């Protein structure tokens, strides 16, 4: 082989040296730089729920009404050089619209979080109901099986009735002179329970 061709060939095992490096899958990626600020969505969601809960109370409405009344009175009653918002109250309108523009998304975010919680609760309730129905069906089948099994078990009344029928049959045989099934009664013990039975 000519020496020029040997130089063009890459040595065995060195084929990856010419390719760009890809990140390894067994190691975590290094964090990328972000230009936007980062925040914890859970903390932000909890804050939005607290604000939305406060905005929905009568206390907020009372305080907002007091602030608006004081604002209007201040800008109507005090001398002209101390007023900061004249009659059309443009600054007050701007402040209220700014407050409304922030309140609406916060309330929507709080409602979305509540909807997510409700969805999870409904899913858990549905699974619990399915388990309860399955348990009830299982218990129903078990009770039915027990009833069927009890139908074949000899009860105390059935045994008593069978023993009475046998006793009647033996008495009839004894009365007709048939063979005696039991030996003659012992006369040395009084009738009733034996002492050994106690």
């Amino acid at each position: 082989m000519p020496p020029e061709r040997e130089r063009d060939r890459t040595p065995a095992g060195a084929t990856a040296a010419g390719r760009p490096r890809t990140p390894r899958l067994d190691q975590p990626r290094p964090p990328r730089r972000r230009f936007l600020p980062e925040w914890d969505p859970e903390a932000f969601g909890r804050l939005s729920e607290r604000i939305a809960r406060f905005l929905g109370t009568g206390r907020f409405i009372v305080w907002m009404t007091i602030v608006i009344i004081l604002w209007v009175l201040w800008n109507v009653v005090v001398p002209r050089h101390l007023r900061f918002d004249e009659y059309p109250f443009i600054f007050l309108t701007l402040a209220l619209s700014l407050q409304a523009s922030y309140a609406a998304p916060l309330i929507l975010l709080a409602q979305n979080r509540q909807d997510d919680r409700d969805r999870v609760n409904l899913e858990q309730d549905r699974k619990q109901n399915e388990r309860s129905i399955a348990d009830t069906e299982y218990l129903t089948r078990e009770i039915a099986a027990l009833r069927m099994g009890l139908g074949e078990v000899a009860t105390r009344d059935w045994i008593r009735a069978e023993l009475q029928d046998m006793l009647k049959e033996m008495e009839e045989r004894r009365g007709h002179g048939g063979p005696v099934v039991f030996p003659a009664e012992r006369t040395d013990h009084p009738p009733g329970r034996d002492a050994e039975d106690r």
Side-chain angles (χ1 to χ4, degrees):
M1 240 196 223
E4 292 110 19
R5 287 201 174 185
E6 281 184 25
R7 271 185 275 159
D8 291 343
R9 294 180 81 196
T10 56
T15 57
R19 282 188 288 176
R21 291 197 75 176
T22 58
R24 292 182 54 168
L25 296 178
D26 61 340
Q27 294 177 351
R29 287 183 173 180
R32 292 187 297 174
R33 291 188 175 195
R34 296 188 183 207
F35 299 106
L36 297 175
E38 294 184 24
W39 64 86
D40 182 17
E42 277 300 310
F44 191 72
R46 285 193 299 269
L47 177 67
S48 69
E49 284 181 342
R50 289 176 62 189
I51 292 172
R53 200 170 291 126
F54 175 68
L55 291 177
T57 59
R59 183 187 306 166
F60 171 74
I61 294 172
V62 168
W63 280 109
M64 192 170 86
T65 305
I66 290 171
V67 167
I68 291 173
I69 289 172
L70 290 175
W71 187 299
V72 170
L73 285 176
W74 180 271
N75 289 301
V76 170
V77 175
V78 298
R80 207 173 264 289
H81 68 281
L82 292 176
R83 295 178 191 171
F84 57 89
D85 194 14
E86 290 294 327
Y87 164 66
F89 305 118
I90 296 172
F91 188 49
L92 177 63
T93 306
L94 180 65
L96 289 176
S97 63
L98 182 67
Q99 180 260 331
S101 67
Y102 272 100
L106 289 174
I107 291 170
L108 287 174
L109 180 60
Q111 286 178 346
N112 289 341
R113 285 173 55 87
Q114 185 62 42
D115 289 344
D116 292 342
R117 276 196 299 270
D118 291 344
R119 193 175 305 115
V120 169
N121 289 338
L122 285 174
E123 184 67 23
Q124 289 176 348
D125 289 345
R126 188 184 63 79
K127 288 180 181 177
Q128 182 66 35
N129 287 342
E130 286 178 357
R131 282 195 298 266
S132 298
I133 289 171
D135 291 345
T136 304
E137 289 175 354
Y138 171 75
L139 290 175
T140 304
R141 287 193 301 269
E142 288 296 315
I143 290 172
L146 285 173
R147 283 184 177 170
M148 288 171 45
L150 282 176
E152 299 171 1
V153 172
T155 61
R156 182 172 43 184
D157 294 336
W158 182 81
I159 292 173
R160 185 177 294 145
E162 288 293 317
L163 289 174
Q164 287 175 354
D165 290 345
M166 287 174 62
L167 187 61
K168 284 181 186 176
E169 190 177 321
M170 288 189 309
E171 287 175 355
E172 286 176 4
R173 284 185 186 176
R174 184 183 282 181
H176 294 312
V180 179
V181 178
F182 294 114
E185 292 181 345
R186 297 172 60 183
T187 56
D188 53 344
H189 288 293
R193 300 178 76 191
D194 292 335
E196 295 86 13
D197 290 343
R198 294 183 185 167

